[in-house]
Amino acid sequence: MKFIVTPGPYQRGTHKTGIVMRDLLIALLLVWFAAIAYNFTIGAAYGVKAILMVVVAAFVTLLCDILVHAIRYKPEQGAYIKTLLKHVRENFSLVTAIIFALTLPIGTPYYVIVLGSVFATLLVKYAFGGFGNNIFNPAAFARIFVALTFAGSLTPHLGDASVVPTLTAGATITTAFANSTALKWLGDSLAGLNVTMPQAWLGFYSGALGEPFALLILVLGIALAARKALNWRTPVFYLGTVALTALVIALFAGINPLNYILLHLGLGGLMFGAVFMLTDPVSGPTSPFGKALIGIIAGLMTVLIRIQGNLPEGVVFAIAIANVLSPLIDRMTTAMTNQKLTQKWLVLGGLLFGSLALNGSIAFAKVLGQAEPSSSLSSDGSTSSEESSSEESSEEPIIPFKVLSGAYTSSACEDFCAEQTQTVDVNLDDRFAIISIELSGANTTGGTYTTNWTASEAAVVAYYESLSIVEIQALDPNAMPSEALVAGVTVTSQRLLHALQDALADVEVYYGNAVSNAYPDHYEDQTTNVGVYVIAGVIEAIDVTGMVTTGGSYATNWNNHYETIRDYYVGMTVVEFQALAALPHDSDGFVAGLTFSTERLFQAIVNALSTYGG
Amino acid sequence: MTVVGEIMNIFASLTMRHLDGHKRSTCACDVLTIDEREIPSVFIPIVGPNGADIELFVKEGEEVKAGTVIGRRKDFYVPIFSPISGTVKGKNNRYNPLVGRATPHYEIVNDFKQTPAEPLKTVSFESPREDIVRAIKEAGLVGLGGAGFPTYVKYENVKDIDTLIINGVECEPYLSTDFKVAERYAADVVKGAELFRLAAGAEIGIIAIKVHKTAMKNALTGALADYAHLKLAEVPDAYPMGWERTLIQKLTKRSYDKLPSEAHVLVNNLTTAYAAARALLYGEPLTHRIITLSGNGLKQEANVLIPLGTPMNLIVAKVGGYAKEEVTAFAGGPMSSKAVSDDSFAVQAPMGAYTVIIPTPHQEIACLRCGTCTAVCPANIQPIEIKLALDGDNTDRLLKLDVMRCVECGLCSYVCPSGIEVTEAVRKAKVKVRIALAKAAFAAKK
């Protein structure tokens, strides 16, 4: 009779880690199958790639598992194969691999998937001690790694963007929506963006592989929480914070709150991050309070990055920040779980209020600041600022970028007019388009001339305001178009034109363009047109039209940097500019990651100024 | 454990979990009585629990009767009675589970006559409170629910108690002695409850049992009919519903720091109430008790009525023996007991069960920091954080994590999905903390 003594208790529950991981795996497989099905509707190549992306990630991760085991193996642990199988079984790397692969868009090159999987498994996971010991979520950090290192390769299409109907100029709906309004992520509609709201939630659009299926992921999340495969607190507090913050922003910005909340929750992989990445127990806090807290922190950061940050999407970065804060949260949560409840509620409430206040006031300030025309160019070259500036000019005066003044004195004519001087101020914006023209000085001799002139003056001024500088310079005072010539008030009309031409006399306009050649499978030939305005040898303004970038994150980056790039040249003398032998790569005129666009702009200006001095 | 309850508990632990009870077979069958003639000797420890000294009143070779006071504990005033009549043969060293090592025992050889000694002085419901408390003291009553704490200490110098609770919850899996005692001796249980209520000076007395215990409920309800100040309450079928703190919280919604008396409540076990009635009203000291023998390591499961001091191996043999050569056995339930290394120990009053299971291979993998242990801990502490602090040898942090509040209920290890020995880690942490506190106290005295 032998009594085996082990430490108690001697009855154990049946809900094991293996079951938790199995449930997560099943949910991920369902999302993957949805992605495969959707991608096959675009084309066979897309469907196959969707399958292979996950297969490659899983395979590479398995190789990493084998490598680590080979390094760590000691014969006293047992038979090699047996310990290897145990090692693979107990490290659950497959789940990481699938999550990582599902965060990547269809166009991700295979080598990026391989590098990302290796980064996730070997570096973020095993270098910290393997399953259970990693501080950071391996899939999230690998996603950040590939986003920063291979930004250009993460396209949502396989070369020809036009094949995918739900993309807007090669950009995903999230990027397109983020840039669809003058203020980033502050719109309430998907109009004109090739994806409808129901589509956005059901997932019939192209983004990252697994992220579009917001509704499916939400349902799976509820099921997983009910099965205790994840803790409900984190996703509920995360989604709740994002929804409440979106509500407050919508109220401040005057946009439809329900739409705005649905867009925040449905786009950008937020559901996927909420259910599969933020809920990773290993990289989060252990206490129930901590799990709720990181939900709120991640919600705050997600919305903040979306409306104020550079990138179109903030979910993975918010998850990264939550991971970084988790050990500190654990450190500070030493009290018994039923103590300090008031304190805990105050912390949660305070952070939630912080999210509402911070994000709300940023949105509010941006909406107020919309009085300034933001000259953001979208990738098809159309300028959205002209509409907004003309709307705005009727509400409040716009400060002109440059004012050119001129005057002309017409000589007295026998009997019916004295010598009179017309002064004009031509108000120009930063592209030397005419904003307005102000007149001063006596206009006519009086009497019926004044009456006739006064009646038509506004229309004449409006006509000149609609012209470009070049067009006004080209007008002949002796052959004036009918819109500029008021019947019976010839002298005054001519005097006005002379005055305008005097104001614009020193302006030299040079036109030019540059073409970048097509990059097969990535983008077509692109042309940038510029008009360079020079006064007394100094570049005063540059007007840019034509294809600027390929779209997507390039467009966002370009829109944020365009003004500084252009303004680098404005103020330079032509001589100084021509002394630049080539585009300086370390100046404000150059933007990392937008090489082609910046060089093409530079080249266009070079071409325009090639006729200077001639 | 309802969805609403779970949501309200956003930060705090749920403090309980439903476990498989494994009680059906022992509840359903009759109590076995072992023929006295099959028990040649009984063994009474002459060292108290925690190694306390016992003053002995009889010497080797003397004759004793059933109920003779053979000694008295020196730490608390607890008389020790001989459970049988016979002769004190001599001292005998055997394993004592309540002390954790082998201790000397008196071997009393049975003369099978069960001659009763002088009965104890009795009291009635009308007796003054001090008399009732003194009678409890003289009866040597200790907590029969497993703790073995001298009962009279709770009632001496007691003040401002408004509720007395009789704990018939028996939340440990496998145990069904309280069930059987209530089923058979409901009238005495209720009488004992009333005695305790009077001793405490409490307005009301609540007998708490678990839901779905129909036989228990019916028996007690019938017996309670005549008592205006006593009532029955049913509590959820969860573990550790029978822990003092959890039970008081459930029944009265009150919490306390160290002792239930802070919450104006006193708690005693149901079998103790039964023993109190027999001793105080009928003058019978505690000489026998029912214990539950169960588990898949035994060929047969049963509740057995035996005299105190019977060696366990004898009882197991009478019940049919072990089912396998290698077993894990413990005196008590699977959650809060420690495994024994031999079965020759004698049954003592607080022992309510002997559970034997066939050990299954135990798999332990990495902690995934799910926090389920924290979410379920009845003491509201954070087992995983304690384990991590222990692994990191971080005594400073351990001192902040309220380690000493752990009652070793075993739920943390039970729920752990990775199969980690969390309870064992907290036990080790307690040792570390005790040492640290002792060192600090010693340094402070210098």
Side-chain angles (χ1 to χ4, degrees):
Chain A
M1 203 56 228
K2 185 160 177 242
F3 293 94
I4 309 229
V5 177
T6 51
Y10 305 101
Q11 190 164 324
R12 303 290 167 118
T14 48
H15 187 244
K16 294 296 173 199
T17 302
I19 295 178
V20 169
M21 288 298 156
R22 183 203 67 192
D23 289 349
L24 284 174
L25 193 63
I26 293 174
L28 285 166
L29 289 178
L30 287 174
V31 176
W32 182 36
F33 294 157
I36 297 172
Y38 164 71
N39 275 288
F40 265 115
T41 65
I42 303 179
Y46 280 73
V48 170
K49 179 97 190 269
I51 296 176
L52 286 180
M53 279 171 71
V54 172
V55 170
V56 166
F59 181 66
V60 170
T61 308
L62 180 62
L63 289 180
C64 292
D65 277 353
I66 295 174
L67 174 67
V68 170
H69 181 258
I71 295 171
R72 286 194 190 160
Y73 175 72
K74 289 189 182 59
E76 48 269 23
Q77 291 169 348
Y80 190 83
I81 297 293
K82 194 146 167 262
T83 49
L84 173 62
L85 289 174
K86 184 168 186 283
H87 171 87
V88 172
R89 229 184 13 244
E90 290 178 1
N91 271 285
F92 308 109
S93 303
L94 178 62
V95 174
T96 306
I98 299 183
I99 294 178
F100 172 61
L102 288 178
T103 61
L104 301 168
I106 195 76
T108 310
Y110 288 108
Y111 76 88
V112 171
I113 301 178
V114 169
L115 285 172
S117 301
V118 170
F119 183 87
T121 313
L122 285 185
L123 210 59
V124 186
K125 192 158 134 176
Y126 279 118
F128 282 82
F131 177 76
N133 296 310
N134 46 292
I135 317 179
F136 305 120
N137 183 303
F141 273 70
R143 182 64 177 82
I144 294 175
F145 165 66
V146 302
L148 296 179
T149 320
F150 303 106
S153 320
L154 298 181
T155 53
H157 54 83
L158 295 176
D160 187 4
S162 58
V163 166
V164 187
T166 53
L167 294 178
T168 310
T172 63
I173 179 66
T174 305
T175 312
F177 169 71
N179 296 320
S180 65
T181 49
L183 301 172
K184 185 166 172 274
W185 258 101
L186 274 175
D188 62 0
S189 141
L190 291 173
L193 294 176
N194 298 329
V195 176
T196 61
M197 182 71 89
Q199 238 183 328
W201 272 77
L202 289 173
F204 301 138
Y205 67 91
S206 284
L209 209 55
E211 76 174 39
F213 306 97
L215 188 59
L216 170 66
I217 294 170
L218 178 62
V219 168
L220 287 172
I222 294 173
L224 288 170
R227 287 191 56 80
K228 302 209 187 293
L230 53 85
N231 193 304
W232 63 268
R233 287 164 184 79
T234 307
V236 165
F237 277 83
Y238 183 43
L239 297 176
T241 304
V242 173
L244 264 173
T245 311
L247 176 66
V248 167
I249 293 176
L251 293 174
F252 279 157
I255 56 181
N256 183 319
L258 181 62
N259 278 1
Y260 193 58
I261 292 175
L262 287 176
L263 286 169
H264 260 293
L265 295 182
L267 293 182
L270 189 129
M271 273 301 166
F272 188 85
V275 171
F276 292 113
M277 290 164 81
L278 193 60
T279 51
D280 173 29
V282 182
S283 50
T286 60
S287 60
F289 167 70
K291 290 180 197 285
L293 186 55
I294 57 161
I296 299 188
I297 292 174
L300 190 164
M301 290 308 305
T302 303
V303 179
L304 183 62
I305 295 175
R306 281 177 170 182
I307 63 172
Q308 183 68 350
N310 263 348
L311 296 154
E313 190 37 72
V315 174
V316 270
F317 290 95
I319 293 174
I321 289 167
N323 285 172
V324 165
L325 288 172
S326 292
L328 181 65
I329 294 173
D330 271 340
R331 193 120 218 105
M332 303 195 15
T333 324
T334 50
M336 289 162 61
T337 51
N338 62 351
Q339 306 291 343
K340 297 200 183 164
L341 290 179
T342 322
Q343 212 179 72
K344 289 171 180 170
W345 277 113
L346 279 175
V347 169
L348 291 192
L351 271 167
L352 179 61
F353 178 75
S355 177
L356 304 184
L358 179 63
N359 288 307
S361 49
I362 288 176
F364 190 56
K366 289 178 110 165
V367 168
L368 280 185
Q370 229 180 341
E372 288 295 313
S374 59
S375 49
S376 64
L377 300 184
S378 52
S379 55
D380 62 1
S382 66
T383 56
S384 54
S385 62
E386 277 178 333
E387 288 86 35
S388 56
S389 62
S390 57
E391 283 165 23
E392 295 301 311
S393 57
S394 58
E395 290 161 22
E396 36 187 285
I398 295 178
I399 302 164
F401 178 72
K402 183 103 188 156
V403 181
L404 294 175
S405 304
Y408 183 78
T409 309
S410 58
S411 49
C413 40
E414 357 155 339
D415 297 334
F416 53 89
C417 57
E419 202 179 76
Q420 294 179 74
T421 306
Q422 172 77 64
T423 315
V424 294
D425 286 325
V426 182
N427 296 320
L428 303 164
D429 70 11
D430 56 355
R431 289 179 359 262
F432 263 36
I434 299 176
I435 304 173
S436 62
I437 296 173
E438 288 160 38
L439 311 183
S440 56
N443 286 333
T444 70
T445 34
T448 51
Y449 297 115
T450 307
T451 321
N452 291 341
W453 177 258
T454 313
S456 306
E457 184 185 85
V460 170
V461 171
Y463 169 69
Y464 283 120
E465 284 174 350
S466 72
L467 300 180
S468 67
I469 290 181
V470 172
E471 285 166 334
I472 295 180
Q473 286 174 337
L475 290 176
D476 178 1
N478 295 317
M480 288 172 61
S482 55
E483 298 91 333
L485 186 61
V486 179
V489 201
T490 317
V491 175
T492 306
S493 307
Q494 289 175 331
R495 189 168 58 244
L496 176 56
L497 179 56
H498 279 297
L500 287 170
Q501 289 181 333
D502 175 61
L504 300 174
D506 296 326
V507 180
E508 297 162 29
V509 187
Y510 299 92
Y511 289 112
N513 62 44
V515 180
S516 307
N517 293 321
Y519 185 11
D521 289 337
H522 282 73
Y523 52 81
E524 315 296 322
D525 281 356
Q526 297 178 68
T527 308
T528 297
N529 297 308
V530 296
V532 183
Y533 294 84
V534 177
I535 298 181
V538 176
I539 299 174
E540 291 286 341
I542 302 176
D543 184 17
V544 183
T545 57
M547 282 297 290
V548 182
T549 72
T550 38
S553 61
Y554 294 118
T556 320
N557 208 358
W558 179 258
N559 290 340
N560 290 328
H561 287 278
Y562 166 68
E563 286 172 355
T564 30
I565 295 170
R566 183 211 48 210
D567 290 345
Y568 174 73
Y569 300 115
V570 168
M572 225 185 249
T573 65
V574 178
V575 173
E576 281 168 355
F577 178 83
Q578 291 176 328
L580 297 171
L583 174 67
H585 281 251
D586 56 351
S587 68
D588 289 332
F590 177 73
V591 179
L594 283 177
T595 318
F596 290 115
S597 301
T598 328
E599 286 188 348
R600 199 167 56 249
L601 175 63
F602 176 75
Q603 200 55 47
I605 301 173
V606 166
N607 292 343
L609 292 175
S610 59
T611 58
Y612 178 83
Chain B
M1 281 96 47
T2 62
V3 174
V4 173
E6 167 117 22
I7 290 178
M8 292 310 282
N9 259 313
I10 290 191
F11 310 142
S13 160
L14 292 169
T15 70
M16 58 185 85
R17 167 70 65 112
H18 173 75
L19 309 178
D20 279 343
H22 301 281
K23 304 188 189 207
R24 209 145 290 168
S25 57
T26 54
C27 279
C29 62
D30 240 345
V31 174
L32 277 178
T33 310
I34 296 188
D35 190 341
E36 299 284 338
R37 281 163 298 175
E38 311 241 13
I39 303 172
S41 302
V42 299
F43 300 86
I44 309 296
I46 51 181
V47 168
N50 306 322
D53 261 346
I54 292 185
E55 188 186 341
L56 293 166
F57 299 147
V58 297
K59 291 189 295 294
E60 300 175 37
E62 273 189 50
E63 287 202 3
V64 290
K65 299 204 180 90
T68 309
V69 180
I70 61 172
R72 198 167 63 219
R73 272 167 65 174
K74 287 191 186 164
D75 53 349
F76 293 105
Y77 185 102
V78 183
I80 316 264
F81 301 92
S82 171
I84 57 173
S85 61
T87 321
V88 178
K89 181 174 172 188
K91 288 200 190 138
N92 189 283
N93 267 348
R94 50 182 59 214
Y95 179 61
N96 185 339
L98 295 186
V99 179
R101 53 180 166 82
T103 63
H105 290 58
Y106 261 170
E107 181 179 356
I108 304 177
V109 176
N110 205 341
D111 65 6
F112 306 116
K113 293 191 196 132
Q114 204 64 15
T115 321
E118 280 292 312
L120 299 167
K121 192 143 163 273
T122 60
V123 293
S124 72
F125 291 138
E126 288 73 34
S127 305
R129 215 175 101 173
E130 302 78 44
D131 287 356
I132 298 180
V133 175
R134 195 180 317 120
I136 294 175
K137 194 168 172 178
E138 294 296 341
L141 287 176
V142 296
L144 301 181
F149 186 73
T151 309
Y152 80 93
V153 177
K154 290 185 182 174
Y155 296 93
E156 257 187 5
N157 305 317
V158 77
K159 260 202 279 277
D160 295 328
I161 302 295
D162 60 32
T163 309
L164 176 85
I165 298 176
I166 297 295
N167 188 349
V169 177
E170 203 164 43
C171 56
E172 273 272 6
Y174 294 96
L175 273 65
S176 55
T177 55
D178 285 346
F179 178 86
K180 282 297 174 194
V181 166
E183 197 187 39
R184 296 176 131 209
Y185 314 118
D188 285 336
V189 168
V190 171
K191 286 181 188 150
E194 180 70 2
L195 284 167
F196 281 146
R197 184 187 73 80
L198 294 166
E203 261 291 303
I204 54 160
I206 307 175
I207 302 184
I209 64 172
K210 269 192 185 173
V211 288
H212 307 314
K213 303 276 182 199
T214 326
M216 219 173 167
K217 180 177 171 187
N218 292 340
L220 288 169
T221 314
L224 281 168
D226 303 319
Y227 294 84
H229 296 271
L230 299 179
K231 62 176 188 161
L232 191 67
E234 283 174 285
V235 293
D237 180 8
Y239 177 84
M241 199 62 242
W243 180 39
E244 238 171 25
R245 204 178 286 270
T246 316
L247 186 59
I248 292 173
Q249 173 70 35
K250 185 49 125 192
L251 290 176
T252 66
K253 307 246 183 305
R254 298 180 201 162
S255 55
Y256 56 91
D257 185 28
K258 291 197 168 50
L259 290 175
S261 49
E262 296 164 32
H264 312 293
V265 178
L266 277 185
V267 184
N268 260 122
N269 175 265
L270 184 143
T271 305
T272 315
Y274 163 72
R278 293 314 301 175
L280 271 58
L281 299 175
Y282 304 101
E284 298 168 10
L286 189 65
T287 57
H288 289 63
R289 77 158 295 162
I290 297 175
I291 77 167
T292 311
L293 265 77
S294 56
N296 63 0
L298 293 171
K299 289 220 178 95
Q300 197 195 331
E301 291 175 316
N303 272 304
V304 186
L305 176 64
I306 36 89
L308 298 177
T310 311
M312 187 54 75
N313 46 17
L314 193 152
I315 306 174
V316 170
K318 292 295 165 210
V319 163
Y322 295 101
K324 282 247 158 42
E325 260 306 298
E326 292 192 355
V327 295
T328 298
F330 28 94
M335 297 303 288
S336 53
S337 316
K338 281 206 187 87
V340 297
S341 45
D342 81 70
D343 60 355
S344 64
F345 62 90
V347 172
Q348 296 177 53
M351 288 180 196
Y354 182 64
T355 316
V356 185
I357 56 169
I358 300 171
T360 47
H362 187 233
Q363 279 279 44
E364 195 172 316
I365 65 174
C367 167
L368 73 157
R369 302 169 58 89
C370 65
T372 310
C373 50
T374 303
V376 91
C377 174
N380 282 290
I381 60 178
Q382 303 186 55
I384 179 56
E385 290 299 322
I386 294 171
K387 176 172 188 295
L388 290 171
L390 179 77
D391 290 344
D393 212 8
N394 192 342
T395 313
D396 287 336
R397 184 157 163 81
L398 278 177
L399 289 169
K400 293 199 197 120
L401 286 168
D402 296 293
V403 179
M404 299 314 290
R405 286 197 175 264
C406 169
V407 285
E408 299 176 34
C409 72
L411 261 189
C412 44
S413 286
Y414 177 88
V415 298
C416 179
S418 291
I420 296 172
E421 301 283 8
V422 192
T423 317
E424 187 65 10
V426 182
R427 287 190 196 112
K428 292 194 178 128
K430 283 165 97 173
V431 172
K432 252 198 148 76
V433 167
R434 261 190 220 112
I435 294 173
L437 290 175
K439 275 192 189 160
F442 184 68
K445 275 202 208 134
K446 275 188 170 187

